[in-house]
Amino acid sequence: MAQSIVVGACPHDCPDTCSILTTVEDGKAIAVRGNPDHPFTRGRLCVKVNNYEERVYSDQRVLYPLRRVGPKGSGSFARISWDEAVGEIAARWKAIIAESGAEAILPYSYLGTQGIINGLNVGDPLFNKLGASVSERTFCDSASCTAYMMTIGHTPGVDPESFVHSKYIILWACNTLSTNSHHWPFIEKAKKSGAKLVVIDPVRTRTAALADWHLQIRPGTDCALALAMIHVVIKEQLIDRDYIDKHTIGFDELAARASTYTPEFAASETGIPAEDIIRLAREYATTPPAVVRIGVAVERHAGGGQTVRAIACLPALIGAWKHVGGGLLQLPIWAFPVNWPNLMRPDLQPAKMRVINTWRLGAALTGDLPEGPPIRSLFVYNANPMAMVTEQDRLERGLAREDLFTVVSEHFLTDTAKYADIVLPATTQLEQKDIMFSWGHLYLSYNNPAIAPLGEAVSNTELFRRLAAAMDIDDPFFLRSDDEMIEASMDWTSPALRGISLEQLKKTGFARLSLQHPDEWAPHRDGNFPTPSGKCEFKSSIAEGGNFVVPLFRQGYGADQAGDPVDPLPHYIAPNESPMTAPAEAERYPLSLISPKSHALLNSNYGNLPAQQVLAGEQQMVVLHPEDAASRGIVAGAPIRVFNHRGSFEAFATLSADVMRGVVVAPAGYWHRSNRKGATVHAVTPPAYADLGRAPTFSDVLVQVATA
Ligand SMILES: Nc1nc2c(c(=O)[nH]1)N[C@H]1C(S)=C(S)[C@@H](COP(=O)(O)OP(=O)(O)OC[C@H]3O[C@@H](n4cnc5c(=O)[nH]c(N)nc54)[C@H](O)[C@@H]3O)O[C@H]1N2
Ligand SMILES: Nc1nc2c(c(=O)[nH]1)N[C@H]1C(S)=C(S)[C@@H](COP(=O)(O)OP(=O)(O)OC[C@H]3O[C@@H](n4cnc5c(=O)[nH]c(N)nc54)[C@H](O)[C@@H]3O)O[C@H]1N2
Ligand SMILES: [Mo]
């Protein structure tokens, strides 16, 4: 028996980007395990990925191109050849372009794989060259990134490994043990060395349960808390005057602004007692090194952007950045010198093409469009909108349109793929080659393919090579091999890659970026914030230019197409939908619904696979406070209906006092089709944007719950 170990990297849209060792026997992957040599992976894979070979060899895999033979959405398909599939796509697109213009074609993608060459941008050059509508991907962390950029710039922030030196750690809207679990050992080590761990979350999650102090907060009110912390540290002179004078701008204006946000005001918004808010501010300011780790969830409300603006001001106010293990951690992805323009090629667009936001897919497909032709063809890859975007009923109506030509590249017949006219088989990470950034640590990774592609599955890079050829594009850029694409994907002259060679990377599978050691690194000890002023901007000069989407990999409205001007000082924006801000609506729909990540699913990945279904359940579950359940006659395990004026879905009730009263939790990622009444949480979520970066507000929503 020929056995070998192949080093690769986890493809998922997750901060941890683990180094994976795959055992291959006679060409078949028989096991995967975490690489013990990787300082962040430390030999452990999570419950989603530790049986990845079962995903690869699942009998549900799509392994051949398929053409729809039944009605739309029926899931009846027949096998066709790649030549037929690509030929049909090219013929349909050429006809659409001739009749309606290329903007009638809409690509739609996200991070099914996070690989730099197969991931987010793999289709951008082709669609840009065709002049298709541009999909603006503000799926994740877009308000947060915009706010972060306005305040401290595109800095990696605190090295996640430096947390071992922290003495005060705030996990703010971040469920580390479920969504960033390889960061936990560093937090645990800090705790063992005496650090205090504070978790701010409406839910006593498995992470909050291990905290020294859990502050339960009403969803979407975090900005009031952050501003009140600013108020207290300034009023009580807990600030670092020297750091502020040298490395910040706008302190006096911030102080004036914060004076109105008293702990009492924040208490009335957040539900956290004023004494606790004062205590939190005092402890945070006087226990160095103090660090805040924000989760993506903090942005999913009307004021999500300003929340991150306010939080990002805190570390500079108290001089936290002076210490190793002090400051703020958001997405260290900014440290990776990825050659985004080369991956996206916006320069190939024949003109500035129409932009359609991912959150408006249902609207766009049902004719509610900014301008230009109706969408006649949708091309989905690396994404599952039926499970992950709002206005589910509208999206379903759009996908069911007989005149819409839909192509989906997938591993499985997802809820979205079921509506396709053509389904194309995609390889998994074990079958493809890639280079990977991380948004949770500072190691560059290389994924060696472990096995040959199954069936006729192809990588996304190969898919787009085939499509470009079929669309008669002869630019050699579209013919490049994976190796050539990997070579061009990074700026190898960047100081961050000093001493790292691709050859070596292929062998080791990972390399730490060339940055100071986590035991020594305090990136903003001496200021040097990558903002226009070089300082932490309490008063943002970028805000004066208007609301925009941080261009990094997202495509869409960059700073050159910014929207309305933004107040340059942090300010509180209350949730759109809460019993306090929408009392009339709350009479009918009194409960605040949030839809965080599921522990055992990765967005909608694994929602169809048996091992993860055992942990997450096959069907949507909803967690309610026992008193909220009792007053509605709901018992544990009962089928319930969750509804508002937008729609409804059914689920099974879990009762737990871990959830704040008045809040219901419907974890995201369950498949539509395995659910009662074929709907999930996005049947009730709103299409409104948050204040910055056109981020979603899907955890800013009121619902009612009743027995089904
Ligand atoms: N297991 C697992 N891991 C994942 C993913 C997954 O689907 N499953 N997805 C990956 C992706 S794409 C992302 S973006 C990250 C996201 O990572 P996180 O941001 O950690 O994810 P969430 O679970 O959405 O939210 C974290 C916590 O915020 C809380 N929360 C919700 N609303 C509020 C609020 O208004 N204020 C406060 N303070 N807390 C709030 C939720 O109760 C939840 O416990 O996780 C990645 N990792
Ligand atoms: N209610 C609610 N909605 C949310 C969220 C939430 O927390 N709650 N989270 C939001 C966030 S943070 C995110 S990031 C988005 C995620 O939204 P999506 O990225 O659309 O979600 P995924 O479920 O990860 O879908 C990725 C799909 O890509 C497929 N895939 C994987 N690898 C490959 C490949 O190599 N090639 C091809 N062609 N396909 C592949 C997978 O099988 C999967 O079906 O959802 C957002 N929506
Ligand atoms: Mo995400």
Side-chain angles (χ1 to χ4, degrees), residues 430-511:
L430 298 194
E431 303 152 77
Q432 64 201 17
K433 187 185 278 188
D434 220 321
I435 183 167
M436 323 273 307
F437 55 67
S438 161
W439 49 279
H441 58 63
L442 294 164
Y443 298 82
L444 180 66
S445 305
Y446 190 92
N447 183 68
N448 288 289
I451 56 170
L454 301 192
E456 291 179 3
V458 304
S459 65
N460 294 337
T461 52
E462 175 60 16
L463 165 66
F464 283 101
R465 279 191 286 267
R466 291 183 186 186
L467 288 171
M471 291 305 286
D472 309 320
I473 294 170
D474 52 14
D475 180 342
F477 181 83
F478 291 90
L479 301 173
R480 295 173 312 154
S481 67
D482 286 357
D483 287 325
E484 288 168 315
M485 292 171 81
I486 287 172
E487 181 72 45
S489 70
M490 306 290 289
D491 172 9
W492 296 97
T493 65
S494 160
L497 297 184
R498 196 178 296 129
I500 300 177
S501 77
L502 206 41
E503 278 324 297
Q504 191 60 23
L505 193 65
K506 285 179 192 175
K507 291 193 194 113
T508 53
F510 66 90

Side-chain angles (χ1 to χ4, degrees), residues 12-16 46-48 110-111 114 139-141 171-181 199-208 215-222 225 293-301 307 331 388 439 593-605 663 665 668-669 698-700:
H12 285 304
D13 181 5
C14 166
D16 295 6
C46 67
V47 294
K48 294 149 306 208
Y110 204 60
L111 279 173
Q114 203 164 266
F139 244 153
C140 181
D141 235 27
L171 298 177
W172 204 319
C174 185
N175 185 5
T176 307
L177 280 168
S178 292
T179 60
N180 183 193
S181 67
V199 170
I200 303 172
D201 198 307
V203 184
R204 187 175 154 88
T205 58
R206 54 184 86 209
T207 309
L215 291 159
Q216 261 187 328
I217 189 165
R218 286 192 194 117
T221 64
D222 301 80
L225 174 60
R293 204 290 184 244
I294 46 173
V296 175
V298 84
E299 74 169 20
R300 287 165 186 159
H301 310 273
T307 303
L331 300 184
M388 301 312 291
W439 49 279
L593 175 123
I594 58 174
S595 56
K597 306 299 189 187
S598 170
H599 183 73
L601 309 179
L602 194 291
N603 298 329
S604 71
N605 294 272
V663 174
V665 181
F698 49 60
S699 285
D700 185 344

